[in-house]
């Protein structure tokens, strides 16, 4: 299992990318498909008569343990990540927006969009058990460690694609004000999934002869996998090769916007609220498995954790635990459903002077990351000052994220091309635990 956990951190550290996709550009005054990703109602406010999205890619990584300075230190990543008693949290998210098309028709706005997602997350992983598996307890100051996790620890990865059909309409409009409503219906294409969850994990890890042994342990364990991630959890190709599966799920977004108009500059004030990703998808594959177990190690019995040192798949982890005799199956299913990360988005963009705007954005998750059937999300608050002309923008998002804390970045837009990062400044000037980058190109046709 060391080969399963440690490459996760190495992969994330090498990529060095954080957690709000398209930070800053998503609330741009140039309203297009990216804005509609946050709130489908923005399609009724399109800046162009028609818009074509060619591509947009965002790579985000954040964690609560490793900073940028650690990447150049002499210490191993696995030693750093499992230091201390604070549970390890880490998010690696990739979002790729493929071809998309949007247009306005009188009071209506419509869009067809495509996206692909890849996620690899650690949720509240006990640093002590991670240290025992990855390092044989090198960070432990004594020859035993007591585990008392009254929460669900998860190692989870997933890939899936979606095609969205969006519509928005102006519901009420005067010379000064505008009120819109809109929604998106999504077709979901589950690719691959893997989850290892250990809830209420209690026990003792003893260190003898350079090895770690788990004793007097109890936990409720879920092991689920589908597609490539069941056989290779930490191999990047397992994610890239299994993004789009067959159609097997649906989801919805809906929202509303309120705008105070400005004849010369589009608006003086624009605000919106939306609920996104209401729904889920069912994973089906030849190697599908989802099983709930009780883990029980009693008396003088012990589990040698060195058995997991060269393991690279959940199937192998499951087989080792079953063969040990310490797992008892309580339920099992061939196909299983996974819920999307439902979030509430709220934002407001204020014109300070005709070329200077300030926006505030909130993302609040409405689901519990501890659930084994749940794809994860983060709570985020972002304040973005922005210098904005018709064909050029520069913006500096300032974000507070649930996992990595405060970050500051910068982004640019020139006509339809944009590039940016929500953490470029903090990554350069302090020991940031987050980094991200995004890039894309879209173009508009006709005046709205």
């Amino acid at each position: 299992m060391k080969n399963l956990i440690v490459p996760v951190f190495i992969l994330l550290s090498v990529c060095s990318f954080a957690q709000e996709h398209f930070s800053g550009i998503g609330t741009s005054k140039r309203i297009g498909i990216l804005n509609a990703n946050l709130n489908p109602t923005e399609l009724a406010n399109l800046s162009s008569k028609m818009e074509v999205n060619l591509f947009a890619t965002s790579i985000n990584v954040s964690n609560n343990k490793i900073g940028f300075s650690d990447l150049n230190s002499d210490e191993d990543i696995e030693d750093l990540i499992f230091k201390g008693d604070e549970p390890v949290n880490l998010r690696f998210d990739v979002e790729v927006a493929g071809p998309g098309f949007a247009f306005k028709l009188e009071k209506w706005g419509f869009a067809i969009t495509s996206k692909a997602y890849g996620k690899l997350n650690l949720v509240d992983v006990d640093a002590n058990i991670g240290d025992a598996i990855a390092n044989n307890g090198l960070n432990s100051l004594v020859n035993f460690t007591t585990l008392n996790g009254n929460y669900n620890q998860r190692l989870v990865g997933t890939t899936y694609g979606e095609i969205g059909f969006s519509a928005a309409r102006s519901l009420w409009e005067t010379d000064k004000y505008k009120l819109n409503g809109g929604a998106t219906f999504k077709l979901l294409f589950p690719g691959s999934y893997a989850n290892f969850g250990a809830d209420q994990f209690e026990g003792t890890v003893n260190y003898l002869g350079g090895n770690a042994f788990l004793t007097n342990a109890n936990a409720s364990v879920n092991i689920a996998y589908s597609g490539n991630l069941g056989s290779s959890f930490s191999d990047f190709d397992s994610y890239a090769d299994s993004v789009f599966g067959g159609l097997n799920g649906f989801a919805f977004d809906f929202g509303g916007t309120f705008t105070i108009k400005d004849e010369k500059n589009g608006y003086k004030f624009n605000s919106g609220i939306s609920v996104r990703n209401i729904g889920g998808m069912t994973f089906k594959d030849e190697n599908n498995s989802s099983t709930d177990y009780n883990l029980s190690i009693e008396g003088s019995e012990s589990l040698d954790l060195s058995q997991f040192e060269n393991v690279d798949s959940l199937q192998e982890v499951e087989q080792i635990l079953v063969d040990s005799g310490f797992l008892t199956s309580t339920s099992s299913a061939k196909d299983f459903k996974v819920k999307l990360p439902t979030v509430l988005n709220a934002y407001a963009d204020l014109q300070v002077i005709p070329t200077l705007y300030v926006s505030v954005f909130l993302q609040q998750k409405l689901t519990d990351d501890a659930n084994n059937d749940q794809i994860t999300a983060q709570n985020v608050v972002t304040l973005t000052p922005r210098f904005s002309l018709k064909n050029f923008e520069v913006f500096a998002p300032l974000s507070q994220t649930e996992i990595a804390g405060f970050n500051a970045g910068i982004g640019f837009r020139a006509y339809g091309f944009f590039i940016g990062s929500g953490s470029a400044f903090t990554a350069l000037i302090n020991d940031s635990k987050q980094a991200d980058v995004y890039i894309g190109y879209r173009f508009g046709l006709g005046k709205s």
Side-chain angles (χ1 to χ4, degrees):
M1 197 163 179
K2 177 179 179 179
N3 278 8
L4 191 152
I5 293 179
V6 175
V8 171
F9 294 102
I10 295 175
L11 171 66
L12 299 174
S13 303
V14 170
C15 290
S16 293
F17 298 103
Q19 178 58 264
E20 176 199 342
H21 288 293
F22 306 107
S23 180
I25 191 70
T27 53
S28 169
K29 177 190 167 186
R30 184 217 183 273
I31 296 177
I33 289 176
L34 281 179
N35 304 68
N37 288 342
L38 299 179
N39 186 346
T41 309
E42 291 291 0
L43 291 169
N45 294 327
L46 279 176
S47 297
S48 304
K49 194 72 175 178
M50 294 181 288
E51 176 167 290
V52 177
N53 184 79
L54 294 183
F55 73 95
T57 301
S58 174
I59 305 176
N60 302 330
V61 173
S62 59
N63 78 97
N64 65 335
K65 293 278 188 155
I66 299 177
F68 267 77
S69 64
D70 295 322
L71 302 181
N72 297 318
S73 72
D74 295 331
E75 293 189 73
D76 293 334
I77 295 297
E78 57 265 33
D79 293 340
L80 293 168
I81 200 73
F82 295 122
K83 270 190 174 181
D85 295 324
E86 182 183 6
V88 179
N89 280 280
L90 183 145
R91 304 288 190 270
F92 174 43
D93 295 275
V94 177
E95 180 177 319
V96 179
F101 177 69
F103 66 95
K104 284 189 70 176
L105 182 63
E106 297 180 349
K107 293 185 176 183
W108 289 87
F110 300 93
I112 300 176
T113 56
S114 60
K115 287 185 185 179
Y117 299 89
K119 294 174 176 283
L120 174 59
N121 305 149
L122 274 75
V123 182
D124 290 332
V125 173
D126 190 313
N128 294 307
I129 191 67
D131 182 45
I133 293 173
N135 307 315
N136 291 321
L138 290 179
N139 287 325
S140 178
L141 299 178
V142 293
N143 61 359
F144 70 93
T145 300
T146 301
L147 309 176
N148 188 18
N150 58 353
Y151 47 82
N152 191 25
Q153 305 175 43
R154 298 182 67 199
L155 177 63
V156 55
T158 186
T159 61
Y160 65 98
E162 72 174 38
I163 296 177
F165 302 90
S166 305
R169 191 182 192 281
S170 174
L171 304 176
W172 174 72
E173 187 172 5
T174 69
D175 292 339
K176 293 185 177 181
Y177 307 108
K178 188 177 183 182
L179 182 67
N180 303 330
T184 296
F185 173 68
K186 302 176 182 179
L187 303 177
L188 303 179
F189 300 83
S192 190
Y193 184 80
N195 180 77
F196 181 91
D199 194 15
Q200 305 298 312
F201 193 177
E202 298 180 348
T204 301
V205 178
N206 294 297
Y207 306 107
L208 300 171
N211 289 328
F213 298 87
L214 180 63
T215 62
N216 298 315
N218 291 280
S220 297
V221 175
N222 172 263
I223 301 176
Y225 44 82
S226 177
N228 293 351
L229 295 185
S231 56
S232 183
F233 193 96
S234 58
D235 182 5
F236 180 78
D237 289 339
S238 297
Y239 293 81
D241 293 343
S242 60
V243 175
F244 266 86
L247 173 61
N248 217 339
F250 306 95
F252 299 89
D253 302 345
F254 67 90
T257 62
F258 173 72
T259 305
I260 301 176
K261 299 180 183 178
D262 184 328
E263 290 185 7
K264 294 183 179 181
N265 297 289
Y267 60 77
K268 296 180 179 179
F269 176 78
N270 186 48
S271 62
I273 187 169
S274 65
V275 178
R276 300 175 51 235
N277 296 327
I278 305 171
M281 51 194 168
T282 300
F283 282 85
K284 294 185 177 183
D285 194 81
E286 291 182 357
N287 74 331
N288 253 38
S289 177
S290 178
T291 308
D292 291 322
Y293 296 98
N294 283 331
L295 171 68
S296 179
I297 304 175
E298 300 177 345
S300 60
E301 298 174 326
S302 65
L303 176 64
D304 184 356
L305 297 180
S306 66
Q307 297 177 81
F308 301 101
E309 185 171 355
N310 297 313
V311 171
D312 190 35
S313 77
L314 286 189
Q315 290 173 319
E316 292 178 81
V317 171
E318 183 177 37
Q319 192 61 54
I320 290 172
L321 290 173
V322 169
D323 291 343
S324 73
F326 298 135
L327 281 186
T328 303
S329 174
T330 59
S331 66
S332 182
K334 178 68 174 174
D335 300 327
F336 54 90
K337 186 174 182 179
V338 174
K339 299 174 184 176
L340 262 58
T342 305
V343 295
L344 171 70
N345 286 342
Y347 57 90
D349 192 26
L350 175 67
Q351 179 192 104
V352 180
I353 58 175
T355 57
L356 179 63
Y357 291 75
V358 177
S359 68
V360 60
F361 167 80
L362 166 71
Q363 176 176 289
Q364 174 65 49
K365 62 185 177 185
L366 303 178
T367 51
D368 188 353
D369 288 349
N371 294 334
N372 286 312
D373 62 350
Q374 181 65 59
I375 297 175
T376 64
Q378 269 199 73
N379 296 327
V380 181
V381 177
T382 302
L383 178 71
T384 306
R386 183 174 62 254
F387 174 75
S388 181
L389 300 176
K390 180 180 179 181
N391 296 317
F392 178 78
E393 279 184 306
V394 57
F395 42 88
L398 311 170
S399 299
Q400 181 72 25
T401 66
E402 180 182 1
I403 302 298
F406 176 77
N407 280 275
I410 192 168
F412 305 90
R413 175 183 67 84
Y415 292 88
F417 173 79
F418 58 90
I419 186 170
S421 167
S423 57
F425 283 146
T426 43
L428 291 173
I429 65 177
N430 73 6
D431 197 18
S432 175
K433 294 181 176 64
Q434 167 173 306
D436 66 288
V437 64
Y438 59 80
I439 189 171
Y441 184 78
R442 71 270 177 87
F443 61 89
L445 300 171
K447 187 177 180 180
S448 177

